[in-house]
Amino acid sequence: MESSTPAPTPPVESGPGSRPASGPDGRFETLVAEAAAVPVDGWDFSWLDGRATEQRPSWGYARAMAGRMARAGAALDIQTGGGEVLASVPRLPALTVATESWPPNIARATALLHPRGVAVVADADEPPLPFGDGAFDLVVSRHPVTTWWEEIARVLVPGGTYFSQQVGPSSVFEIIEYFLGPQPDEARDARDPRHAAAGAEAAGLEVVGLRAERLRMEFFDIGAVVYFLRKVIWMVPGFTVEEYLPRLRSLHRKIESEGPFVAHSSRYLIEARKPR
């Protein structure tokens, strides 16, 4: 998803040489069918170019992470996804390892990172991490599902750093609540960056940086919403087009008549250091 605002997408054709289905219901069915058929492995959102936008955090995680990688001797990328962010780093440490739990992403990350000398380790994203104590001087993670602070502290050398961009509280709740209804306060506050800072400190790490931002998102057609929910599976757990068909149809009509569906993502950047 890019930060520029494109024009709404024209009707999508259902196949080579075919014409867009006619009428509002035909357009709905075409957009949904296309989005439901697109592969969603990896962490590349380029399919949404021209169909949805998302502001980027001002701190530039990939660039900042690459700078830290250039100074590290041994680094670990936890929950690397398809390896796209790590692969963008110009200069990797001599020893670089990534972990991932989802089989399609493991295969994708391996194909992308192995030529760069990075080993991708299949890991269940639960303690313990499959590495010895003090194995890395840099641990990074972009949008981890869960941060196991004690394990991060364990695998860091004294003086080592954890650097991570994470999903913050109430992220994209406009979409979540559209499909699931109002969420309780504990769900809204579950990913508060203050909780992360407290977890890091409880594990013996020193928080040296903490920033948070709320960022505008726009979805220009219902296909973009379907693709997003298929790819970011924890937004609406168990999402299928069939189960949410009435809500999808209603949202399609709203977008067609009123313009893009607007939501807001929440991100925070945390950096923590293990004392020497």
Side-chain angles (χ1 to χ4, degrees):
M1 299 173 70
E2 301 173 340
S3 58
S4 58
T5 303
T9 305
V12 179
E13 296 188 358
S14 57
S18 62
R19 297 181 178 180
S22 60
D25 286 341
R27 174 167 163 78
F28 169 78
E29 291 166 2
T30 298
L31 291 171
V32 168
E34 181 191 28
V38 177
V40 291
D41 58 311
W43 208 239
D44 176 10
F45 285 82
S46 60
W47 189 85
L48 290 175
D49 291 351
R51 312 183 77 140
T53 64
E54 180 182 7
Q55 286 180 294
R56 295 302 186 192
S58 61
W59 50 72
Y61 171 77
R63 181 180 65 253
M65 185 264 280
R68 287 160 175 78
M69 284 277 180
R71 301 188 296 270
L76 168 64
D77 183 19
I78 297 176
Q79 299 178 31
T80 193
E84 296 88 356
V85 178
L86 187 59
S88 73
V89 174
R91 180 183 173 187
L92 292 169
L95 174 63
T96 305
V97 182
T99 65
E100 176 56 33
S101 62
W102 195 39
N105 276 351
I106 294 169
R108 186 182 181 94
T110 298
L112 190 60
L113 296 172
H114 190 266
R116 299 285 310 275
V118 179
V120 179
V121 178
D123 179 64
D125 292 338
E126 293 182 355
L129 284 166
F131 308 105
D133 297 356
F136 305 99
D137 51 86
L138 176 66
V139 176
V140 302
S141 190
R142 182 180 181 272
H143 301 176
V145 177
T146 304
T147 303
W148 304 104
W149 289 107
E150 291 186 358
E151 279 299 287
I152 289 165
R154 181 183 65 79
V155 301
L156 280 172
V157 300
T161 297
Y162 177 70
F163 185 70
S164 177
Q165 177 177 296
Q166 306 210 8
V167 177
S170 303
S171 189
V172 202
F173 260 47
E174 294 90 343
I175 282 185
I176 292 172
E177 295 193 325
Y178 178 85
F179 288 96
L180 300 181
Q183 298 297 291
D185 290 342
E186 55 266 28
R188 289 182 165 276
D189 299 335
R191 303 188 69 90
D192 192 304
R194 293 173 296 183
H195 301 333
E201 291 168 354
L205 301 176
E206 176 190 2
V207 177
V208 296
L210 186 64
R211 300 171 62 184
E213 292 181 359
R214 196 154 180 84
L215 307 155
R216 182 181 176 92
M217 303 174 70
E218 294 183 337
F219 295 85
F220 291 94
D221 66 56
I222 197 62
V225 175
V226 170
Y227 177 85
F228 179 78
L229 292 177
R230 290 182 60 230
K231 195 172 186 77
V232 190
I233 57 177
W234 52 88
M235 288 290 167
V236 179
F239 171 83
T240 63
V241 169
E242 293 75 15
E243 182 174 355
Y244 289 97
L245 192 59
R247 296 297 286 164
L248 288 168
R249 196 178 298 277
S250 176
L251 183 55
H252 167 71
R253 290 169 178 162
K254 180 179 176 66
I255 292 172
E256 292 287 292
S257 63
E258 300 177 15
F261 183 86
V262 176
H264 296 85
S265 63
S266 178
R267 301 286 183 264
Y268 67 88
L269 186 73
I270 186 166
E271 186 167 16
R273 187 171 298 135
K274 185 173 180 177
R276 292 186 182 277

